């Protein structure tokens, strides 16, 4: 292998494992692709949706909210993040089994596609890259949620989601991960509260590396398979509906994430615990039109200080079809990470499930 190719391979080694000699470690961003959020409605409200989730997207935001789904629903969203560098796709279905229990399935894919692999493209004779030997690969993260929610009574609902994660960097390395989310929602009258514990038992991701691809890399620099541990995140939320008239209603919501992984970017942290607040609101007209706004993140850094990440959005309902749009940026108004337009579609099928006494 040439010096040029070896340097590129070593670069891959650092991408795949920041500490090649460690077999297991707790990571801060092991499942960060799932933090992007789903659904134009929730995202337009800044992601303050833990207590308010009452549709098919509850499989992502708070599984207990699936209990509010009375008709089968399906949803889809596509977004381009970071000036189009990352594609994000979300699809989900929810099916009421009985008036008090609902099953949901959620799929998420986040990927950087068409990455040029030049490891074998260097021509030692010309000292140039040979385009004919350049191949393309994808770095992709995929997640599957299988969710179940049940209403305990008219005020309390609980649920759980089994998660399977599949991550890959071309054919260089891949990982499987497994985890469990649990959630609850309670109606207290004018206020609704919610709680979800993501990766309740911690997420375990096991990476494997194709050693043959790095056979000529110095042994001390080769990436190795390792096990990553993603710690739980507790998300708490509250929401309230304020009727402004017979046709107009205002929903206000606030969430806070409690993370235990030592991230310091959040504006409030106390040692190993950090707090990420989110707030949002929705002004609705006759359940047909909605206008939304929120703040999805409050972060701090040495370069720009404290930064707010605002979002806005709108939605329209036509029969059983919901079309929701949200607009947001990444990293605050002073950031150059780019803006994102996110449009989601959701459809409600058939009629509500008939009451079934005793279920």
């Amino acid at each position: 292998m040439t010096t040029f190719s070896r340097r590129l391979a070593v670069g891959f080694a650092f991408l795949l494992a920041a500490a090649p000699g460690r077999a297991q470690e707790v990571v801060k961003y092991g499942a960060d692709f799932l933090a992007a959020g789903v659904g134009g409605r929730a995202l337009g409200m800044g992601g303050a949706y833990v207590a308010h989730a009452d549709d098919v997207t509850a499989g992502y935001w708070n599984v207990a909210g699936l209990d509010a789904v009375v008709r089968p629903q399906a949803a889809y969203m596509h977004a381009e993040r970071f000036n189009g560098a990352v594609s994000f796709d979300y699809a989900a279905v929810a099916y009421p089994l009985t008036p008090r229990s609902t099953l949901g399935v959620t799929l998420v894919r986040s990927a950087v596609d068409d990455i040029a692999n030049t490891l074998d493209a260097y021509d030692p004779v010309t000292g140039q890259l040979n385009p004919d030997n350049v191949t393309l690969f994808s770095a992709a993260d995929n997640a599957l949620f299988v969710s179940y929610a049940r209403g305990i009574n008219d005020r309390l609902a609980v649920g759980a989601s089994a998660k399977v994660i599949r991550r890959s960097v071309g054919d260089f390395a891949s990982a499987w991960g497994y985890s469990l989310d649990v959630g609850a929602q309670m109606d207290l009258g004018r206020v609704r509260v919610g709680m979800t514990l993501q990766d309740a038992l911690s997420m375990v991701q096991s990476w494997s590396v194709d050693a043959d691809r790095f056979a000529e890399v110095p042994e001390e620099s080769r990436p190795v398979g390792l096990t990553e541990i993603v710690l739980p995140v507790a998300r708490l939320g509250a929401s309230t509906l304020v009727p402004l008239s017979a046709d107009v209603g205002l929903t206000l919501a606030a969430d806070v994430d409690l993370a235990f992984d030592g991230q310091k970017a959040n504006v409030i942290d106390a040692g190993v615990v950090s707090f990420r607040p989110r707030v949002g609101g929705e002004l609705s007209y006759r359940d047909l039109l909605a206008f939304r706004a929120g703040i999805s993140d409050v972060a701090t850094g040495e370069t720009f200080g404290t930064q707010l990440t605002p979002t806005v959005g709108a939605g329209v309902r036509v029969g059983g079809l919901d079309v929701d749009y949200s607009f947001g940026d990444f990293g605050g108004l002073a950031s150059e990470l780019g803006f994102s337009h996110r449009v989601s579609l959701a459809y409600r099928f058939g009629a509500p499930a008939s009451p079934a006494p005793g279920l």
Side-chain angles (χ1 to χ4, degrees), residues 72-299:
Q73 293 184 17
Y76 175 75
M77 185 186 83
H78 174 78
E80 302 287 337
R81 305 181 65 202
F82 306 116
N83 288 324
V86 180
S87 64
F88 183 90
D89 290 279
Y90 156 80
V93 294
Y95 187 84
L97 301 175
T98 74
R100 291 188 181 178
S101 61
T102 303
L103 179 68
V105 177
T106 301
L107 295 170
V108 175
R109 181 181 188 269
S110 180
V112 178
D113 296 312
D114 297 330
I115 303 172
N117 172 19
T118 59
L119 288 176
D120 300 319
Y122 180 74
D123 188 335
V125 176
T126 64
Q128 302 294 324
L129 291 178
N130 182 351
D132 294 334
N133 293 332
V134 176
T135 59
L136 302 177
F137 69 94
S138 297
D141 297 316
N142 300 276
L144 168 67
F145 297 55
V146 179
S147 307
Y148 177 79
R150 183 168 183 83
I152 303 303
N153 51 46
D154 292 340
R155 293 195 168 203
L156 175 64
V158 298
S161 293
K163 295 195 301 188
V164 179
I165 308 296
R166 174 63 174 176
R167 311 184 69 189
S168 62
V169 183
D171 57 1
F172 298 94
S174 61
W176 287 98
Y178 307 92
S179 184
L180 180 72
D181 294 350
V182 295
Q185 285 183 340
M186 178 173 284
D187 188 348
L188 301 179
R190 295 189 62 87
V191 176
R192 188 174 183 86
V193 296
M195 181 279 295
T196 184
L197 187 60
Q198 295 182 341
D199 306 317
L201 304 177
S202 295
M203 177 188 291
V204 179
Q205 297 183 22
S206 300
W207 281 93
S208 60
V209 176
D210 185 351
D212 292 340
R213 302 304 299 268
F214 303 96
E216 298 186 40
V217 176
E219 185 174 354
E220 65 275 10
S221 299
R222 296 176 190 170
V224 298
L226 65 124
T227 299
E228 295 179 338
I229 308 298
V230 179
L231 298 179
V233 174
R235 309 182 72 179
L236 310 177
S239 68
T240 184
L241 174 61
V242 182
L244 301 182
S245 71
D247 297 326
V248 180
L250 176 64
T251 298
L252 301 174
D255 286 4
V256 63
D257 292 357
L258 281 70
F260 308 95
D261 50 15
Q263 293 188 26
K264 298 299 182 182
N266 294 330
V267 69
I268 305 173
D269 68 82
V272 297
V273 181
S274 62
F275 302 82
R276 178 187 175 186
R278 295 184 304 279
V279 295
E282 176 184 68
L283 186 67
S284 60
Y285 174 75
R286 289 189 174 182
D287 204 27
L288 298 175
L289 296 174
F291 301 93
R292 307 170 183 118
I295 296 176
S296 64
D297 197 12
V298 183

Side-chain angles (χ1 to χ4, degrees), residues 330-350:
F330 300 95
L333 296 177
S335 172
E336 297 182 356
L337 294 177
F339 299 93
S340 179
H341 302 271
R342 294 164 290 194
V343 178
S344 66
L345 303 175
Y347 190 79
R348 300 178 306 281
F349 299 87

